[in-house]
């Protein structure tokens, strides 16, 4: 198995970066109370933290940004299948007459009369329900 490294953004790189930043975020947290909470300061022995470190804040935001980027990359990668699924649901709602009009010119295809799945020319069985094409 050959491993290739590319400069292109990928889902795996974004998830890995998000995990690294999340670990840095969790490692840089402080258990000291905020200096604005007087009761907590007195109960902790007088120690407080003025504000969280820049590392803690930045790594938290970067972890969230990388996670959002990973979700967007995954959605873009599967955009065609998501949109295709939506198109097939819309065609099923519109009925068989709209499906017949939605055929791609130059490509011989038909639809199963039982389930509405597109049948590619040369198929002998429906890929959706398994009905032989000669029987309907």
């Amino acid at each position: 198995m050959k491993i290739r490294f590319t400069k292109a953004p990928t889902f795996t790189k974004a998830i890995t970066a998000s995990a690294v930043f999340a670990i840095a975020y969790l490692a840089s947290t402080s258990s000291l109370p905020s200096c604005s909470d007087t009761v907590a300061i007195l109960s902790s022995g007088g120690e407080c933290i003025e504000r969280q470190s820049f590392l803690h804040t930045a790594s938290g935001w970067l972890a969230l940004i990388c996670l959002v980027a990973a979700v967007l990359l995954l959605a873009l990668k599967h955009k065609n299948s998501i949109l295709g699924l939506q198109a097939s649901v819309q065609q099923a709602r519109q009925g068989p007459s709209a499906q017949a009009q939605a055929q791609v010119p130059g490509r011989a295809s038909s639809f199963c009369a039982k389930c509405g799945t597109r049948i590619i020319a040369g198929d002998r069985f429906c890929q959706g329900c398994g009905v032989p094409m000669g029987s309907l």
Side-chain angles (χ1 to χ4, degrees):
M1 181 169 151
K2 186 175 181 180
I3 298 175
R4 295 181 314 163
F5 293 101
T6 63
K7 293 182 181 181
T10 62
F11 173 77
T12 306
K13 289 177 187 174
I15 286 295
T16 304
S18 180
V20 168
F21 288 126
I23 290 169
Y25 173 79
L26 293 173
S28 65
T29 188
S30 174
S31 61
L32 293 175
S34 171
C35 289
S36 62
D37 188 2
T38 310
V39 176
I41 294 170
L42 294 174
S43 66
S44 71
E47 295 182 27
C48 67
I49 187 166
E50 185 64 35
R51 61 189 172 116
Q52 290 291 344
S53 69
F54 178 71
L55 173 66
H56 181 75
T57 305
S59 58
W61 280 109
L62 287 172
L64 288 174
I65 290 168
C66 289
L67 187 63
V68 168
V71 169
L72 289 175
L73 286 168
L74 189 64
L76 286 174
K77 181 179 180 181
H78 296 289
K79 166 182 74 167
N80 293 337
S81 63
I82 292 169
L83 294 177
L85 178 65
Q86 290 174 352
S88 66
V89 169
Q90 287 175 354
Q91 287 178 353
R93 287 183 185 164
Q94 292 174 353
S97 62
Q99 289 177 351
Q101 295 171 356
Q103 289 184 5
V104 177
R107 189 187 309 170
S109 64
S110 59
F111 294 91
C112 175
K114 183 176 180 184
C115 69
T117 302
R118 183 181 296 245
I119 305 300
I120 299 171
D123 281 354
R124 294 167 46 185
F125 295 93
C126 173
Q127 296 293 323
C129 63
V131 173
M133 287 293 84
S135 67
L136 294 177

